[in-house]
Amino acid sequence: MKNKWALATLVTLCWALAASSGLGYYYYQYTDLVNRLGGSLVPINLGIDYGNGTREWFNGTRGITLFDCMKQAGWEIETKSFPMGLYVTSINGVEESAEPLKYWGWWTWTECGWAHGGSACDKYIVSPNETILWYYSTVNSTTGEMTPPP
Amino acid sequence: MNFKPIHKLSILVVFTALCLASNYALISLPQVKLMDFLVFTGGFLIGSVYGAAIGIFSWLVYGALNPYGFVPQIWLATMLSESLYGVIGGIIGREFYKEDFGNSYFSLNVFFGVLGFILTFFYDLITNIVYAITFNVPVIVAIFTGAPYTILHQVFNAIVFGVCFLPTVITLQKLMGGVWTGILEK
């Protein structure tokens, strides 16, 4: 072990092992996703609620991500791009507002009712026949919580 | 170090108890455990056979009384592969004085860090293969789907081995009054 290069080689070996494992993991995740999707777009039940009693449904809208489905439904969408994904500021001309606090948020239907979507719409991979609703909801200024759809 | 068998047995028991206590204390943190480091250190101090025994006895209890469940095949695999740390620790401990590290703490830290990484790589490889065979999953799939956990395990062990091994061994050798094995002093 006199040669420092031997140590450097061993460190590089460790890096190569870790990098190869990570590469294999992401390759497997990718191929698994492609296989599950079967190369086709997934149909979902997509809805929009403007918070004024108007709710429209676009059942059978297809896409891979939620954002794909929204575009497929023909919505006019304005977004801001962030590292974590797209942030929706306006849908079909209805913009978010600071006074009163009203923002767009998406919700997915579960056995327990509406559950708030946990990620940006362009990062969320939809599941077949999933029911998703975009809701223009008021936000509690104290807790920051969005009001769930009725 | 020249210990009597009864001393080695005592050290074995203490290290096994340490492995168990630290494993249960860290049970909520997957892949973050001190057991591998303790088994290796035990093997380094009292030899390969005792080091291997620390690993086997620790898994004998921890594998059987484990809230995540009990699968006999995995249990046997982890017991045997954990003993790898003790065996290699014993071999390194015996051969250590022959190596020339130029009395450099940094080189030694890097060496033990790399050793911890590589040993953990083989440990994870063995346990993943046994898992794949047990649950009839393709081996490649088992290895790659578990990659985030194995990488975390390997990196954590590399850091612990690299940072903690020398201070621990030097302190224990002084504490136990044994013959200095030659780390940084020849």
Side-chain angles (χ1 to χ4, degrees), chain B residues 12-91:
Chain B
L12 186 156
V13 171
V14 169
F15 268 76
T16 305
L18 273 173
C19 286
L20 288 170
S22 61
N23 266 13
Y24 284 118
L26 296 168
I27 202 152
S28 60
L29 302 174
Q31 306 295 1
V32 176
K33 301 280 182 290
L34 294 174
M35 175 161 64
D36 304 338
F37 169 71
L38 291 167
V39 173
F40 180 83
T41 308
F44 187 94
L45 289 171
I46 56 176
S48 292
V49 175
Y50 287 91
I54 294 169
I56 290 171
F57 289 144
S58 299
W59 265 106
L60 200 68
V61 179
Y62 181 66
L65 301 173
N66 194 306
Y68 292 120
F70 172 76
V71 179
Q73 296 94 320
I74 307 277
W75 184 47
L76 286 172
T78 46
M79 259 199 288
L80 292 176
S81 41
E82 188 69 43
S83 67
L84 185 70
Y85 290 99
V87 171
I88 301 296
I91 293 169

Side-chain angles (χ1 to χ4, degrees), chain A residues 1-4 7-8 10-29, chain B residues 99-101 104 106-108 110-111 113-115 117-118 121 141 143-148 150-151 154-155:
Chain A
M1 201 56 73
K2 288 173 186 171
N3 193 344
K4 295 251 164 85
L7 271 181
L10 286 172
V11 171
T12 310
L13 172 69
C14 292
W15 171 82
L17 288 171
S20 302
S21 300
L23 180 71
Y25 172 74
Y26 282 110
Y27 177 75
Y28 175 76
Q29 293 287 88
Chain B
E99 298 292 339
D100 180 8
F101 286 87
S104 163
F106 180 74
S107 296
L108 281 169
V110 173
F111 172 73
V114 167
L115 192 63
F117 188 100
I118 292 172
F121 174 81
V141 172
I143 290 171
F144 285 149
T145 51
T150 56
I151 292 172
Q154 288 154 17
V155 170

Side-chain angles (χ1 to χ4, degrees), chain A residues 62-124:
Chain A
R62 289 174 176 270
I64 292 176
T65 67
L66 174 55
F67 189 62
D68 292 337
C69 296
M70 293 160 69
K71 286 192 294 183
Q72 182 69 26
W75 296 358
E76 292 175 20
I77 311 156
E78 288 179 24
T79 60
K80 287 179 184 171
S81 184
F82 290 96
M84 64 184 70
L86 291 177
Y87 171 73
V88 174
T89 57
S90 167
I91 299 178
N92 295 338
V94 180
E95 293 186 12
E96 64 182 19
S97 81
E99 190 61 45
L101 281 175
K102 294 198 86 170
Y103 295 96
W104 284 104
W106 65 270
W107 303 72
T108 184
W109 181 254
T110 69
E111 290 176 353
C112 304
W114 291 111
H116 191 267
S119 58
C121 60
D122 63 322
K123 302 292 182 191
Y124 183 73

